[in-house]
Amino acid sequence: MHTLPIREHIPRRPEDPIFCEHLAGSTYGTPWHFHPELELVLVKKSQGYRIVGDNITNLSAGDLVLVGSNLPHLWHQDNTAGELEAVVVQFVADFLGREFAVRSDFEPVRQLMDKARRGLHITGEVRDRVAERMSAMVELGPLRRLAELLSILDDLAHSPGVAFLSSPGFAPQLGLGDQARVDRVMQFIHKHLCEPINRDQVAAIAALSPGAFSRFFRSRTGRTFPAYLNELRLGRAARLLSTTDLRVVDVAADCGFRNLAHFNRLFLKWKGVTPSEFRKRLGGA
C-alpha cells in the first residue's frame, strides 16, 4: 500500500463554480493534498514555505501562485511565526459553463489553465494588480465574482510575469485512499524538522519498509527523502539568516544541522554563497 496526496473536497455549492475565502490564523489547515479545482493563493502575511509539485519555496508577503487541477500542494506556516493572512480562490475549469469554455476567444485562458498543471508563480506588476482584485473578491456577490475571476485570468494569460514552478517531468501518483498515513508522515516531518530525523523513523510511521518508503516518497514528491529534508531546512536557514542576528552555528543547529561544515557545504551548493556571505549580501550582521 502506498501513501498518496489527500484529495480535498472544496466546500462550494454545485451552482457556484467559485469558492473564495480570507484565511487568518496560525495554520493553513490542510496537509499535502490535491483537488480537481484550480486555485489562486495570495499570501498577505506568512512565514513558512509552500510546496507545489516538486517545488519548495519560502513564503513571504505578496507571494501569488496559481495551482492547476490535481497538482499536489501544501502551504505551511512555521509554529513560531505568529498569525498568517491569505486569500484563496478555487474554481472549476469550466466556471463559465462548457459552451463558453470551448469558444475561440477563451483560448488564452484555457492555455493558462493548462500551464497551471505545473503551478505558476506570478510576479511584477500583474501580481500587484491581481493581489488587489483578489482581496476585494471576498466581498463580491456571485455574479461579480465570476466576472472578476475571468478578468484576472485574462490578465494573467497575457502577462510575462508568470513562471512555471514544478518541473516538466513531475507526474505524481494520485489516489483517494490511505489519507491517515500521508497525514502522519507529513505532520511528523513538519513537527520535527529542526530535530534529527532519519528515514527509518518516518518509514515506521508510514508502516512501510525503508526501501518501500524511499520509493513511494520519491514518486510522490519528485525528490529523495534526504533531499526533501535538506531543502526545507535550508529554506528555514535562509529565512533566519535574513531576519535574525543569530550566529551561523546557531542557525545551523536550529534548522536540524548538527555539523556546521556539512551545513556550510549544502548551503554553498544551494545558494552559490556561504551562509555568512549570504547574510552580508542582504546587509545583515
Side-chain angles (χ1 to χ4, degrees):
M1 185 177 291
H2 294 295
T3 304
L4 306 170
I6 295 171
R7 173 169 174 168
E8 182 184 29
H9 296 280
I10 306 303
R12 60 178 177 80
R13 299 172 301 173
E15 66 271 19
D16 186 359
I18 302 172
F19 175 76
C20 183
E21 68 174 337
H22 176 266
L23 293 178
S26 60
T27 175
Y28 286 91
T30 53
W32 173 246
H33 67 285
F34 69 96
H35 41 70
E37 292 85 356
L38 292 91
E39 181 173 85
L40 270 168
V41 182
L42 168 66
V43 171
K44 306 186 82 171
K45 181 175 68 173
S46 184
Q47 291 185 20
Y49 55 85
R50 58 168 160 76
I51 307 175
V52 178
D54 59 358
N55 175 270
I56 303 175
T57 304
N58 283 344
L59 288 172
S60 60
D63 187 69
L64 179 59
V65 166
L66 176 60
V67 179
S69 177
N70 291 325
L71 177 62
H73 56 281
L74 164 74
W75 266 247
H76 177 77
Q77 174 80 341
D78 284 352
N79 294 335
T80 59
E83 295 283 300
L84 69 87
E85 185 179 0
V87 177
V88 178
V89 179
Q90 294 161 325
F91 57 97
V92 294
D94 58 349
F95 66 96
L96 290 171
R98 296 182 185 276
E99 295 80 5
F100 196 96
V102 298
R103 289 169 54 109
S104 60
D105 49 3
F106 194 71
E107 180 61 22
V109 173
R110 189 160 54 245
Q111 290 182 13
L112 175 78
M113 291 192 290
D114 186 60
K115 292 176 182 178
R117 293 181 182 276
R118 286 175 54 191
L120 297 173
H121 187 214
I122 302 154
T123 60
E125 294 181 1
V126 68
R127 187 271 312 275
D128 297 337
R129 293 195 301 269
V130 171
E132 182 177 355
R133 291 151 71 184
M134 280 182 65
S135 297
M137 278 182 72
V138 179
E139 305 299 329
L140 297 180
L143 184 59
R144 292 186 61 190
R145 185 177 289 174
L146 198 73
E148 189 66 90
L149 176 60
L150 177 60
S151 179
I152 286 173
L153 293 177
D154 183 62
D155 197 355
L156 292 177
H158 294 90
S159 170
V162 177
F164 288 116
L165 286 174
S166 188
S167 63
F170 180 72
Q173 298 182 36
L174 303 175
L176 305 181
D178 207 15
Q179 297 187 6
R181 177 182 285 173
V182 70
D183 196 33
R184 288 198 308 271
V185 169
M186 291 302 184
Q187 290 294 334
F188 180 86
I189 292 171
H190 301 319
K191 183 178 180 180
H192 299 281
L193 184 63
C194 301
E195 305 168 16
I197 299 176
N198 62 58
R199 182 191 63 168
D200 291 356
Q201 278 180 292
V202 187
I205 289 169
L208 294 168
S209 70
F213 173 76
S214 293
R215 290 190 294 273
F216 104 75
F217 196 89
R218 184 160 194 165
S219 70
R220 271 67 176 184
T221 66
R223 51 176 44 77
T224 66
F225 180 65
Y228 177 89
L229 274 183
N230 283 337
E231 194 163 349
L232 290 182
R233 287 170 167 168
L234 289 169
R236 174 179 169 82
R239 188 164 60 251
L240 291 177
L241 288 167
S242 62
T243 60
T244 75
D245 58 0
L246 287 171
R247 297 182 305 162
V248 171
V249 64
D250 294 326
V251 168
D254 192 64
C255 295
F257 295 100
R258 297 298 179 258
N259 184 298
L260 181 59
H262 179 60
F263 168 64
N264 285 332
R265 285 195 300 271
L266 287 176
F267 197 95
L268 176 62
K269 183 178 180 180
W270 182 53
K271 284 291 188 182
V273 294
T274 65
S276 297
E277 182 63 26
F278 176 79
R279 173 173 274 172
K280 288 178 182 177
R281 291 188 180 187
L282 292 174

